[in-house]
Amino acid sequence: MSASSATESPHVELSHVRMAFGTREVLRDLSCRFPRDRISVILGGSGTGKSTLLRTVGGLVRPQSGSVMVDGEDITKLSESDLYRVRKKLGMMFQQGALLDSLTVFDNLAFPLREHTRLDRRAIADAVHVCVEAVGLQNVDGLLPGQLSGGMVKRVALARAIIGEPVILLCDEPFSGLDPISARRIESLLIDINKNRGVTLIVVSHSIPSTMRMADHVVVLLSDGVVEGSPADLQQSTDPRIIAFLSDGADPSVTAPDDLPGTTARGAIPARAERAAAPK
Amino acid sequence: MSRSPVRDFVVGLFVLAGLAAIAYLSINVGGLSYNGPGGLTLYASFDQTGGLKPRAPVVISGVKVGQIAGIELGTDYRARATLDLDAKLALPTDTTASIQTAGLLGDRYVALQLGGEEKTLKSGDEISFTESAVILERLIGKLVHNAPGPNDTTE
Amino acid sequence: MRAIQDLGFAVLRFVVDLGALTVFTLQVIRATLVPPWRFRLFVDELFKLGVLSLVIICVCGLAVGMVLGLQGYNTLVRFGAAESLGAVVGLTLVRELGPVLTALLTTGRAGSATAAEIGTMVATEQLDGLRMMSVDPIDLVVTPKALAMIAVLPLLSALFIVCGLAGGYLVGVGLMGLDGGNYLASLQSAVDFRDDILGSLLKALIFGVLIGLIATYRGYHAAPTSAGVSAATTSTVVVTSVSILIFDYFVTALWGV
């Protein structure tokens, strides 16, 4: 399997990372890379460590061994205060949004700016409104996160992740729990952020179809190892594990962005139905 | 995190109320005062203090005018108390200091009874006339046995 | 055999827990001394922990004072010492009941709320979100709450005592017909600033530290599930209450010397 862009050094690279929680080993001797300015998607069945991998890149968990290079720095060697410095280049969109639930949408978005910049009130308000519009929302300033729908929460979370103008954007299952229309909207927003703002994207996803559509580089976590490549590489792969994964590896309990209305989202016939009916 | 000025005002009131409560307890109840030692320091020796404690009040006609700064054993093996009194007091040199009890179970305190002399006591002087504390048990012993008390210096 | 193993394990876990609590405390101290300082949040917490506890503290203070007045009167009157009621009520409230009961009531109300709030933030990944935005959750969330708790407790304790004294006065003077002047006079003569009031405030301060640190610690290290948050809340109340009573003994013993 060839890496998609072997010409430039990867933005993020993991080498022989081992991540275990107590006795439970989640990542075992994992090595992979995420190319600069591209959209990378992490795929894998449930429990293979996708979220853990993402959190390792963000420095939220520290691996027992191995190195994690982020923009040239090995973050496993950094102290907590140095990590804060590196994180200013990162933005993270959490699965449940992780918005501060006691603050309004406006205050949530303004928060990173108030903390780390010296912008005055007008500049902050402008930046907030630009990001709110960028994710396709309006008139949400005074609402609390509890008053937003699932799709809106995700979009506000995305806005918050990009308002600090990060170089790398980490997204933990941005499509989960959304209806197909909202999920598609998020997908195009992410693509837009990558193309127009030049941000490297690392996305954890359950959905194979959307991955095939948007990814430049795919990292598949299997129970016995990891496989990397472009979407085309994977679809033409002869590796039996990949074939098995692509045919029914999509988690049936999650809605894929292009489930047709009428198809039961939960537990129905997964990938086969998608591929047969996929309108392109 | 709405910045409500009403909330801030209420918090301010709360803090003031708490500090006022602390001040009340310290000053009115606990007897904290910010003037230093009263200014007039006198000494009085007693045969028996009966449990008189430092910081016990010194009163004239029932009004507190100072407190006991300390009690130690004098060279004559009597108890020598240091009285820390209000500087404005003019006490004749034949003033009497007696140890009294506040109520049946109460604490001991010192009461000053003014004399008639012209000259007044100055800071550092000794009060010559003292009455020691009455020890209840001995009083009862006297009544019961109807005999003179023990031969050493009596109450 | 198994029981001994379990005991050893429990002791080890306790020591490890204590070590973690110490590390946590040092982090809070560092966050207090190093800018940024979150004064706004500190004031918000003063409101949530202090002002919102006022009603329960004052009502309970009054009630406890009234009970002390009643019990005290009934006992003292047998010895003909009813005029010392002010002293009895005052000393009991100032030395013990004021700081201890205030601390226990505040633990139940504000301590558990704090642990639950922080625990929920852990469960909903809000603390991770803060970390990813390069904001230290200990600086933003934990420290204002802990410091507010330390500041609030002496204030609430003093208010509790004052309400208690009023309650004792109501019963002794209002109900039982004692002389008001006597009540206050015996109160004043018995209670000394240095021995009693200062010791009382010191206790309240120490209890505030206990509640502030334990509640935030338990919330911060809660398991990110609803069962975890619930466990954090109950263990906060239990551990803090026991610690308060144990520390009460030691402070009383050491201060009286």
Side-chain angles (χ1 to χ4, degrees), chain C residues 11-28:
Chain C
V11 170
L12 217 64
R13 248 229 320 235
F14 175 74
V15 173
V16 168
D17 221 8
L18 209 60
L21 182 61
T22 313
V23 170
F24 183 79
T25 307
L26 292 174
Q27 288 178 301
V28 172

Side-chain angles (χ1 to χ4, degrees), chain B residues 14-153:
Chain B
F14 163 68
V15 173
L16 280 177
L19 291 175
I22 294 178
Y24 169 73
L25 289 174
S26 305
I27 299 175
N28 290 45
V29 175
L32 177 73
S33 51
Y34 40 79
N35 25 310
L40 179 62
T41 307
L42 298 175
Y43 298 94
S45 293
F46 301 92
D47 295 319
Q48 180 59 257
T49 61
L52 184 71
K53 293 200 290 285
R55 287 203 291 280
V58 178
V59 302
I60 297 179
S61 309
V63 177
K64 182 176 175 181
V65 295
Q67 59 183 22
I68 304 291
I71 305 174
E72 40 179 34
L73 201 62
T75 45
D76 54 355
Y77 288 100
R78 297 173 82 204
R80 194 157 182 266
T82 309
L83 279 71
D84 201 22
L85 304 173
D86 204 349
K88 299 195 293 288
L89 294 175
L91 301 170
T93 48
D94 58 345
T95 297
T96 316
S98 53
I99 301 184
Q100 317 250 325
T101 315
L104 205 62
L105 301 173
D107 288 324
R108 304 286 192 175
Y109 65 96
V110 170
L112 296 177
Q113 185 71 39
L114 269 60
E117 287 279 344
E118 292 259 321
K119 290 176 33 194
T120 58
L121 294 165
K122 293 183 304 299
S123 202
D125 281 348
E126 191 88 18
I127 297 180
S128 325
F129 302 101
T130 63
E131 284 171 20
S132 297
V134 173
I135 305 297
L136 209 58
E137 295 84 342
R138 294 206 176 162
L139 203 61
I140 294 174
K142 263 193 175 166
L143 284 171
V144 169
H145 295 289
N146 205 19
N151 286 338
D152 41 48
T153 36

Side-chain angles (χ1 to χ4, degrees), chain A residues 55 58 60 80 84 87-88 90 92 94-96 98-101 111-112 115-116 160 170, chain C residues 30 36 38 117 120-121 124-137 139-140:
Chain A
R55 297 166 79 87
L60 292 173
E80 195 65 24
Y84 282 132
R87 283 180 188 140
K88 291 192 183 157
L90 306 178
M92 182 150 178
F94 288 83
Q95 189 171 359
Q96 309 290 348
L99 299 175
L100 298 171
D101 52 20
F111 182 78
E115 284 293 314
H116 299 302
R160 186 179 74 169
L170 308 172
Chain C
R30 188 173 59 100
R38 313 278 179 182
E117 187 179 338
T120 309
M121 290 180 91
T124 50
E125 295 185 301
Q126 287 178 57
L127 295 193
D128 276 341
L130 285 174
R131 291 186 188 104
M132 287 311 296
M133 289 193 283
S134 302
V135 173
D136 185 4
D139 184 65
L140 187 79

